[in-house]
Amino acid sequence: MLDYDVFPEQRQSLIRELLRREGRVVCVKLSRELQVSEHTIRRDLQELAREGACKRVYGGAVALSPASASFANRVEEGQARKALLGKTGAQLIRGGGCIFIDAGTTNLAIAKSIPSELSLTVVTNAPSIAAEAMNLPHCEVIMLGGRIQARTGGALGITALRQLEGMRFDQCFLGACALDAEEGLTVFDYDDAEFKRALVRQSSEVVVALTVDKMPSVARYDVVSCGEISVLVVEPDVPQDKVAAFVEKGVDVRFSGGDDPGIEVLRIPR
């Protein structure tokens, strides 16, 4: 086997590309493919982790999700893809219930796709989502208060948390910065993580819809494990091996897309 000092830059460049493409790497597999010791691979991963390219986990590493831009900038990104996710996510909403729609651009797409005939209560911490829900003729809208954070586009902090304590939700549509089958759902902001954890505690069902670039990857603060996610809505081009890891955790996975983007094209049972 080759020594650590032989071609480290080329080796680490290859690992970066694997992290970008696959989201996760395993020491044993890299050792075999690159013909170096596992000790060498661990040193490579330590160096990449110091550079902020990944997070070390047991047996390997997971890609770090890139820092999110502001909500205003993200609204313009990937609108067509988010619209497909939004239509599929909105089909999960049951009439007559009380739901929470968390801040986020994909969740905004869900709010835009709620059928106008549904009668329900929508609670949110995001002004943009509240404004969309107000267009629904049979919808009661409750807006949580507090300081609006530019990155998330939602109210966070003690005021919003206290309001959550007195509410129970049939469903919550939870925003995410990153998702990994082993590391769970993570976000970049501490207050956002605290708010999301409280939201999950008050919800009977947790739905997460996210774009393919966020999985698998990790951000800075833990929110929930995959075992606490009821339904995961993903794009149709997510590789089956990535999906399988979530199915093994008991997550009901739905794919957006098809001739009618609102139709579920595949459901993988628990």
Side-chain angles (χ1 to χ4, degrees):
M1 285 192 174
L2 299 175
D3 183 77
Y4 176 76
D5 293 329
V6 179
F7 308 121
E9 292 183 0
Q10 293 90 328
R11 197 170 54 244
Q12 289 170 21
S13 178
L14 177 59
I15 295 173
R16 282 193 192 90
E17 174 59 23
L18 287 170
L19 283 165
R20 185 196 65 78
R21 191 170 67 243
E22 304 293 336
R24 174 182 283 268
V25 294
V26 178
C27 284
V28 173
K29 185 178 179 182
L30 285 175
S31 172
R32 183 171 60 250
E33 292 178 350
L34 299 180
Q35 297 185 342
V36 295
S37 68
E38 289 184 46
H39 175 70
T40 292
I41 295 298
R42 285 193 290 270
R43 290 181 64 181
D44 284 332
L45 295 180
Q46 287 172 355
E47 182 63 31
L48 291 173
R50 280 195 292 268
E51 295 174 6
C54 65
K55 175 187 176 184
R56 291 293 313 280
V57 297
Y58 181 76
V62 180
L64 281 174
S65 181
S68 293
S70 69
F71 177 84
N73 290 332
R74 287 184 288 115
V75 165
E76 303 301 322
E77 298 174 353
Q79 291 186 31
R81 294 185 295 123
K82 292 173 184 177
L84 292 178
L85 288 167
K87 289 180 179 179
T88 302
Q91 284 203 329
L92 300 171
I93 298 173
R94 298 183 290 272
C98 178
I99 69 171
F100 192 99
I101 306 181
D102 190 18
T105 55
T106 301
N107 283 348
L108 176 59
I110 290 174
K112 290 180 178 180
S113 299
I114 297 175
S116 60
E117 68 272 13
L118 279 187
S119 175
L120 73 160
T121 299
V122 173
V123 185
T124 184
N125 63 330
S128 58
I129 290 172
E132 285 296 332
M134 287 177 64
N135 293 323
L136 300 170
H138 308 295
C139 182
E140 177 187 21
V141 182
I142 299 174
M143 173 74 199
L144 301 191
R147 178 178 59 85
I148 305 297
Q149 188 191 70
R151 176 187 283 178
T152 64
L156 298 174
I158 190 63
T159 302
L161 283 170
R162 284 177 176 168
Q163 288 176 302
L164 268 186
E165 292 174 358
M167 299 179 178
R168 298 282 178 178
F169 308 107
D170 299 302
Q171 296 172 296
C172 81
F173 291 81
L174 191 66
C177 295
L179 183 67
D180 179 78
E182 299 300 326
E183 303 301 309
L185 189 151
T186 52
V187 295
F188 290 109
D189 184 83
Y190 178 84
D191 289 337
D192 191 28
E194 185 179 29
F195 180 85
K196 285 173 169 33
R197 286 192 294 268
L199 176 56
V200 170
R201 289 194 296 269
Q202 302 300 108
S203 303
S204 298
E205 182 179 81
V206 177
V207 180
V208 176
L210 78 172
T211 50
V212 65
D213 56 303
K214 294 182 177 180
M215 57 180 293
S217 63
V218 295
R220 190 169 295 116
Y221 299 104
D222 294 340
V223 178
V224 293
S225 67
C226 286
E228 295 182 79
I229 297 172
S230 309
V231 183
L232 175 63
V233 182
V234 299
E235 296 181 87
D237 57 348
V238 175
Q240 288 291 327
D241 58 338
K242 291 184 179 181
V243 170
F246 295 99
V247 175
E248 290 173 1
K249 298 292 183 180
V251 182
D252 180 3
V253 179
R254 311 285 184 100
F255 288 80
S256 64
D259 293 333
D260 180 345
I263 297 297
E264 172 195 338
V265 296
L266 177 62
R267 178 179 178 181
I268 301 178
R270 294 173 184 255

